[in-house]
Amino acid sequence: MSTSTQRTTDAVLDYDDVVAAYDPVMGLEVHVELHTNTKMFCGCPTAFGAEPNTQVCPVCLGLPGALPVVNAVAVESAIRIGLALNCEIASWCRFARKNYFYPDMPKNFQTSQYDEPIAFNGWLDVEVPAESGEGTEVFRVEIERAHMEEDTGKSTHVGGATGRIHGATHSLVDYNRAGIPLIEIVTKPILGAGERAPEVARAYVAGLRDLLKALDVSDVRMEQGSMRCDVNLSLMPKGADRFGTRSETKNVNSLRSVERAVRYEMCRHGAVLQGGGSIVQETRHWHEDTGVTTSGREKSDADDYRYFPEPDLVPVAPPREWVEQLRTTLPEPPAERRKRLQSDWGFSDLEMRDVVNAGLVELIQETVVAGASPAAARKWWSGEIARRANAEGQDVPTYAAVLGVTPRHVVELESLVTSGRLNDSMARQVWEGVLAGEGTPTEVSDARGLELVQDSGALEAAVDEVIAANPDIADKIRDGKVQAVGALIGQVMKTMKGQADASAVRELIIAKLT
Amino acid sequence: MTSSDLIRRTAAELADLLTAGEVSSRELTEAHLERVSAVDERIHAYLHVDAEGALAAAADVDRRRAAGESLPAAAGVPIAVKDVLTTKGLPTTCGSRILEGWIPPYDATVVRRLKEAGLPILGKTNMDEFAMGSSTEHSAYGPTRNPWDLERIPGGSGGGSAAAVGSFQAPWAIGTDTGGSIRQPAAVTGTVGTKPTYGGVSRYGLVALASSLDQAGPCTRTVLDAALLHEIIGGHDPMDSTSIADPLPPVVEAARRADVSGMRIGIVRELTGEGFQAGVQQRFDEAVAHLVDAGAEVVEVSCPSFTYALATYYLILPSEASSNLAKFDAMRYGMRVWPEGAPDASAEQVMAATRDAGFGDEVKRRIILGTYALSSGYYDAYYGSAQKVRRLIANEFAAAFTRADVLISPTAPTTAFRFGDKLDDPMAMYLNDIATIPANLAGLPGISVPSGLAPEDGLPTGFQVLAPAMADDRLYAVGAALEARLLAEWAAPLLDGAPDVTSLPMPAAATKEDAR
């Protein structure tokens, strides 16, 4: 039994020392809520954020006598996910009951799949930084299985300081979530990632997220819990062939946390093993704020869920023709699609990687479709708005949606630049106005009076004035020191209050002095 | 027509009287409610009587009939429902303390179909707790008494429905049969009971004992009534995944034709002879002779695996039950018991205290058995092996049905036993279902029809007919043919020979409830 002090002050080994002495073995279990209109086994709606216990019926409340009926759309989604993960699809499989008591589980068993998953034996290729340190390379994550199950209700523990059950005075349960269709995707043990294990884990979850989004089967919103990751991790001494004891870190709910949790657990395991101790097989909680895990309940292989085939449901036996038909509905794999888009857009590897990491691929694609150049789309979406979204802890698409900023705004902004109405620095000011909610780019530039001066008379007068005021510099330029022109351009722009096209100013000055 | 005449009529006759306008549903319903008031103190067939609801439903049928609406054939004939089916707005306890006071917010599909057919629901009938038992002695609310002898069991688990029908407190009733809970009570009360093909009647709203075995069906006094009720409640239900999509076989037509000429009836060697009471066996043999007389051909079949049916059943049933009954945890409905001396009890402690107080011994026994049988390390030996034997039993049935159109046996090995006789010996209690269990394991339909009274004790005996899945019509053909022959022999229905319940002395207070 671990003491409370050990729980909060686990020793950690330096990461470099860990990877020098040990090989990490990871197993990632990802739960994905499908965004079907109705629940897994009843007709209740699945909308997120509804008043607690308003989306319930006898079936998902597990009332005596109620019976489940499988949601055919969920089965279809499960098969499509399986196919996209290069899995075999079972020609016949059953649901099973996983029996354990918990107040947020209405029947005190979860209807899940056990030894007969709908999809099994697949893989997902993910891109990670190359071992050489230059560029990226593909790392193949083997998929053990993808199976269907129902979500549980959601417990809220009230009255305690931490929101956890310890110290709470009472608990509330919302059964709206009970019965939401889930797909659990389980990897085979991920070996050989070495020091890149945290990045591999992150890249896998990110890759899975992109794939599920492309399949349009889930909202895959980690912050809303529609995609949740459990990280199993163990270390074995370099060269060993037997896995070490694993810990299971639950509910790691952002990409960044996946990476950090793997790294932290590696360091914690490393410290225990280095000190001659042994790892306790247990569930651990990830703390986003402090970046550590703490011990949950001890878990052992003796945990007995008394699985048996669900007698209230008939087997799922998808006809081969249906499976093959579903195969034709699969979207282009995200990795291939990214390659194609990178080539279409003419982005460098580095540019594309940044765009992918920032989650901007879809937004840029929409913006290009709406009429912008790829370069402009990348420029505006990865600039100021990305900085702000990051500060808010949100991804750009979500943040843009909150602000009401759309691809059409980028298209409009770019056209204001290409038509010569705005220069770059003015366009940045206009974009700030758009982000501040002042309106469309045209409205902002009108309201702020931002427009390049098209009147050549005014510009010429300003140039003449500046040349007259700086005879020394003008002489230098006349003598052929063209680089001195910059000093004059700056003064002209100042006189023009920035509302001039700098290249036009340059040409005008040179024309007058040479 | 007096009310005592009315209550002795069959449901089919009552339907005709209603259609002819000779009686109103209100009169019929009142007559049965009066009978309940007069005799149920002695029988205890009902756990809950819904006079108000039944009379309102009756008035509605009468109003619609008066308005010239075309109504379902049996509209207005009242019915009783086993307390294991959910009824919106009416208590549903399953004979258990743990559900005391629970009012379901929804109707079982069977109940909905009864209502759609215009059948006023008189009330909910007594049963062994969660349908676990063969005597109703395991009801938390005290046992039901056999109308033939108040010191004897009415069978179980559906003793309440059988006794209600047998004591004329309802023309017909709904039962459920997991291992014989419709057929065995029918046999020992001199009534008719059918367990339809698994999937033939929706289980939606039937509080599950063992999901793969449970099936609701009719409890009646005649074979035709059983067929009529079967037709009302049967047929596909999208709310039950295990419900069969094919149309119901022509059960009513088969009951009316009562034709067994040329039919091959198979006597199952393992379900007769040794272990069967002499008078039960005698009445069975006589019944066979009647069927031969009616043109049937007798063959003998052997199904050796049936020897293991009881063991198989008592692994599969507790396994499923242990999981099905997990939901009774005090969190959302039903009883809640706070553990003593634990003001800050956790949810788990409340669950444990409630389940300890709310479940009776037989329920606990089966939950423990099932939990054990499903445990890792034991699963293959127990649950896994049981599933294999279950398959063997189904295979042997299939083989037997290549040689016979129906299979027959006595329904129960003995007539009704006395209260307490088998309460301390679970195995003896379980053996009562030896002949009925195989059909549940294979999902096949079966019927029990009265075959007379055992000479040695003057108590009813039952004759069981089993048929292939979705050949329920054959049950009715054989049952009705036998019934017609026996009625001709007896000159009056068997139940006419039962004692007048109102004249019997009040039994000694020996109900569980009183004993507490």
Side-chain angles (χ1 to χ4, degrees):
Chain A
M1 187 75 198
S2 56
T3 66
S4 57
T5 43
Q6 279 172 323
R7 277 185 191 176
T8 50
T9 60
D10 285 304
V12 290
L13 191 61
D14 184 73
Y15 189 74
D16 291 338
D17 294 340
V18 175
V19 296
Y22 300 100
D23 282 327
V25 179
M26 291 187 292
L28 300 171
E29 296 173 16
V30 174
H31 286 87
V32 183
E33 279 185 357
L34 299 180
H35 66 194
T36 50
N37 292 328
T38 58
K39 291 186 179 180
M40 187 73 219
F41 299 116
C42 64
C44 284
T46 55
F48 180 80
E51 278 290 295
N53 296 310
T54 54
Q55 297 180 158
V56 293
C57 75
V59 177
C60 56
L61 283 177
L63 292 188
L67 294 174
V69 176
V70 174
N71 181 336
V73 177
V75 175
E76 180 180 302
S77 298
I79 293 172
R80 292 180 70 235
I81 291 169
L83 291 172
L85 289 171
N86 307 290
C87 287
E88 295 171 49
I89 304 301
S91 56
W92 189 91
C93 65
R94 287 180 294 187
F95 283 93
R97 292 187 184 178
K98 180 182 185 180
N99 294 286
Y100 63 99
F101 283 85
Y102 203 80
D104 65 18
M105 247 197 348
K107 297 168 293 188
N108 285 322
F109 61 79
Q110 182 188 28
T111 307
S112 179
Q113 291 196 290
Y114 178 49
D115 48 0
E116 300 169 7
I118 182 88
F120 52 95
N121 277 347
W123 43 265
L124 179 66
D125 282 342
V126 300
E127 269 181 45
V128 290
E131 231 160 345
S132 61
E134 279 179 36
T136 60
E137 66 185 33
V138 168
F139 190 98
R140 175 160 294 187
V141 176
E142 308 263 351
I143 306 292
E144 171 86 31
R145 56 189 284 155
H147 74 245
M148 300 176 279
E149 61 185 31
E150 58 179 339
D151 210 343
T152 62
K154 192 171 164 49
S155 297
T156 308
H157 305 296
V158 186
T162 59
R164 290 181 179 274
I165 195 162
H166 292 293
T169 56
H170 61 285
S171 302
L172 301 170
V173 188
D174 178 7
Y175 293 102
N176 283 353
R177 202 180 73 177
I180 301 267
L182 289 181
I183 303 294
E184 180 176 345
I185 300 161
V186 182
T187 66
K188 291 182 180 170
I190 301 170
L191 301 160
E195 64 177 325
R196 292 178 302 166
E199 287 145 317
V200 168
R202 180 192 176 124
Y204 167 72
V205 177
L208 201 51
R209 184 194 61 181
D210 292 349
L211 183 68
L212 295 165
K213 207 176 170 80
L215 285 165
D216 193 24
V217 292
S218 168
D219 298 335
V220 284
R221 303 278 279 271
M222 293 189 86
E223 74 283 2
Q224 288 183 356
S226 61
M227 181 170 178
R228 315 194 277 272
C229 183
D230 299 344
V231 174
N232 289 280
L233 185 122
S234 65
L235 295 182
M236 56 184 181
K238 278 213 175 296
D241 54 5
R242 271 187 56 192
F243 296 173
T245 305
R246 71 178 190 274
S247 60
E248 182 178 0
T249 304
K250 289 279 194 189
N251 293 329
V252 189
N253 290 341
S254 73
L255 293 180
R256 185 164 164 261
S257 293
V258 169
E259 186 170 345
R260 290 170 76 208
V262 168
R263 181 178 291 265
Y264 177 82
E265 278 295 283
M266 284 172 68
C267 296
R268 187 183 69 82
H269 281 226
V272 171
L273 297 175
Q274 198 83 323
S278 50
I279 297 295
V280 179
Q281 188 174 335
E282 63 181 352
T283 297
R284 299 194 58 96
H285 299 295
W286 167 250
H287 301 273
E288 185 98 39
D289 46 355
T290 51
V292 303
T293 66
T294 56
S295 176
R297 68 191 168 90
E298 282 192 22
K299 186 176 180 167
S300 70
D301 289 329
D303 254 345
D304 190 350
Y305 293 117
R306 288 171 283 117
Y307 281 102
F308 72 105
E310 167 58 276
D312 283 328
L313 291 170
V314 290
V316 175
R320 286 292 101 178
E321 313 80 69
W322 184 42
V323 172
E324 289 314 312
Q325 189 256 318
L326 290 177
R327 198 187 293 279
T328 65
T329 70
L330 294 182
E332 185 181 8
E336 286 176 30
R337 176 163 176 264
R338 278 201 292 273
K339 280 204 185 69
R340 178 176 58 80
L341 290 175
Q342 181 182 350
S343 150
D344 288 354
W345 293 344
F347 289 180
S348 70
D349 286 352
L350 191 65
E351 286 169 341
M352 193 65 192
R353 196 184 73 194
D354 289 346
V355 159
V356 169
N357 287 344
L360 293 175
V361 174
E362 298 312 315
L363 209 46
I364 290 175
Q365 167 72 350
E366 285 168 37
T367 308
V368 168
V369 167
S373 70
R378 186 178 67 81
K379 171 179 172 172
W380 295 113
W381 288 122
S382 55
E384 177 65 12
I385 189 169
R387 194 187 60 74
R388 293 194 196 183
N390 197 36
E392 295 287 322
Q394 289 182 338
D395 59 45
V396 176
T398 310
Y399 187 65
V402 170
L403 294 185
V405 178
T406 68
R408 293 237 45 98
H409 289 137
V410 174
V411 174
E412 192 179 321
L413 185 61
E414 187 188 20
S415 74
L416 290 176
V417 174
T418 51
S419 70
R421 179 169 166 179
L422 299 178
N423 64 17
D424 187 64
S425 104
M426 292 161 78
R428 286 178 198 279
Q429 294 176 55
V430 168
W431 188 233
E432 278 182 25
V434 172
L435 299 187
E438 292 170 21
T440 65
T442 308
E443 287 164 359
V444 174
S445 54
D446 287 350
R448 292 194 177 190
L450 291 166
E451 187 162 8
L452 286 175
V453 174
Q454 305 292 339
D455 176 354
S456 57
L459 188 57
E460 227 176 304
V463 169
D464 289 345
E465 188 184 313
V466 168
I467 290 174
N470 297 279
D472 296 352
I473 299 172
D475 285 344
K476 281 182 184 170
I477 296 167
R478 284 193 191 95
D479 292 347
K481 294 187 174 170
V482 178
Q483 61 269 40
V485 76
L488 296 186
I489 295 171
Q491 290 195 40
V492 173
M493 293 302 281
K494 200 171 167 188
T495 308
M496 297 297 295
K497 296 189 171 62
Q499 304 196 351
D501 183 340
S503 60
V505 173
R506 178 190 176 88
E507 280 170 25
L508 200 56
I509 295 171
I510 291 173
K512 282 185 183 285
L513 296 178
T514 55
Chain B
M1 211 172 314
T2 68
S3 65
S4 62
D5 288 335
L6 279 179
I7 59 168
R8 298 186 84 86
R9 299 296 191 105
T10 69
E13 289 167 351
L14 294 175
D16 289 344
L17 290 174
L18 283 162
T19 309
E22 290 178 34
V23 69
S24 69
S25 178
R26 181 180 180 86
E27 286 171 86
L28 266 187
T29 304
E30 278 175 346
H32 284 95
L33 290 169
E34 277 168 30
R35 175 71 176 175
V36 173
S37 301
V39 305
D40 208 41
E41 207 180 350
R42 289 173 169 77
I43 302 290
H44 193 222
Y46 285 92
L47 289 178
H48 183 85
V49 176
D50 183 27
E52 197 183 332
L55 289 170
D60 185 52
V61 170
D62 289 338
R63 183 189 51 75
R64 287 162 61 199
R65 199 183 301 278
E69 270 184 53
S70 121
L71 296 171
V77 180
I79 190 163
V81 176
K82 189 177 180 181
D83 205 28
V84 73
L85 289 149
T86 60
T87 40
K88 188 174 180 177
L90 263 191
T92 300
T93 67
C94 301
S96 181
R97 288 278 170 219
I98 210 159
L99 272 179
E100 195 164 10
W102 182 56
I103 313 254
Y106 77 106
D107 276 330
T109 297
V110 164
V111 170
R112 183 171 55 76
R113 288 185 178 172
L114 296 178
K115 289 180 176 176
E116 285 166 2
L119 274 51
I121 293 171
L122 295 165
K124 307 295 288 290
T125 59
N126 197 13
M127 56 187 284
D128 286 294
E129 185 175 3
F130 288 108
M132 298 182 190
S134 309
S135 69
T136 72
E137 289 168 291
H138 295 303
S139 168
Y141 304 97
T144 299
R145 296 172 182 284
N146 193 318
W148 289 79
D149 179 346
L150 299 187
E151 302 300 328
R152 290 178 187 266
I153 62 104
S157 64
S161 284
V165 171
S167 60
F168 305 98
Q169 297 189 68
W172 49 13
I174 298 295
T176 62
D177 190 314
T178 305
S181 289
I182 289 174
R183 290 162 290 159
Q184 181 257 10
V188 301
T189 57
T191 57
V192 175
T194 308
K195 178 202 105 66
T197 297
Y198 182 80
V201 176
S202 171
R203 290 187 300 114
Y204 188 75
L206 191 177
V207 181
L209 164 55
S211 311
S212 73
L213 301 163
D214 296 342
Q215 190 62 195
C219 304
T220 61
R221 291 193 291 268
T222 70
V223 174
L224 176 61
D225 283 359
L228 291 168
L229 187 50
H230 192 151
E231 201 171 62
I232 289 170
I233 60 174
H236 183 244
D237 176 16
M239 299 292 277
D240 175 0
S241 310
T242 61
S243 167
I244 294 171
D246 297 342
L248 210 62
V251 290
V252 173
E253 188 193 327
R256 290 195 199 279
R257 290 185 55 202
D259 182 10
V260 293
S261 56
M263 196 181 268
R264 298 168 302 164
I265 54 174
I267 297 175
V268 185
R269 191 183 300 151
E270 287 75 12
L271 300 181
T272 56
E274 201 188 337
F276 287 78
Q277 188 181 320
V280 169
Q281 185 66 44
Q282 182 189 330
R283 296 300 180 224
F284 174 75
D285 294 339
E286 291 164 9
V288 173
H290 274 300
L291 290 172
V292 170
D293 215 32
E297 176 197 337
V298 175
V299 297
E300 194 179 325
V301 299
S302 175
C303 300
S305 294
F306 285 16
T307 320
Y308 305 107
L310 196 70
T312 301
Y313 178 81
Y314 276 102
L315 286 169
I316 291 170
L317 177 142
S319 296
E320 293 185 10
S322 69
S323 174
N324 282 332
L325 269 56
K327 64 178 58 162
F328 302 104
D329 64 358
M331 292 297 115
R332 293 163 301 279
Y333 46 79
M335 184 188 205
R336 176 176 289 175
V337 174
W338 214 261
E340 260 178 72
D344 294 326
S346 68
E348 286 77 6
Q349 287 171 309
V350 172
M351 286 181 187
T354 303
R355 289 166 67 80
D356 185 35
F359 287 141
D361 288 347
E362 183 62 24
V363 174
K364 287 178 189 164
R365 175 169 21 242
R366 297 199 197 185
I367 289 175
I368 290 167
L369 275 174
T371 303
Y372 187 73
L374 289 176
S375 297
S376 101
Y378 297 98
Y379 180 92
D380 290 340
Y382 293 126
Y383 186 81
S385 301
Q387 289 293 10
K388 289 177 192 158
V389 179
R390 184 177 191 173
R391 167 55 60 191
L392 281 182
I393 289 169
N395 290 348
E396 287 181 9
F397 263 121
F401 282 124
T402 62
R403 303 186 48 220
D405 300 307
V406 294
L407 301 178
I408 55 171
S409 78
T411 309
T414 68
T415 56
F417 48 89
R418 289 179 192 281
F419 286 115
D421 266 9
K422 301 185 179 184
L423 210 45
D424 296 328
D425 185 354
M427 270 310 290
M429 185 77 90
Y430 297 169
L431 279 166
N432 235 269
D433 297 329
I434 190 96
T436 46
I437 279 173
N440 297 82
L441 288 171
L444 307 183
I447 193 171
S448 178
V449 181
S451 54
L453 303 177
E456 60 269 36
D457 55 20
L459 291 167
T461 61
F463 180 89
Q464 176 177 240
V465 186
L466 304 174
M470 291 308 276
D472 305 51
D473 50 326
R474 294 185 202 169
L475 307 177
Y476 293 102
V478 177
L482 178 61
E483 180 184 59
R485 295 244 154 197
L486 289 173
L487 193 58
E489 180 187 319
W490 302 332
L494 192 69
L495 280 170
D496 281 6
D500 175 6
V501 176
T502 54
S503 73
L504 295 174
M506 278 292 283
T511 65
K512 265 196 182 176
E513 199 167 23
D514 298 337
R516 284 189 180 200

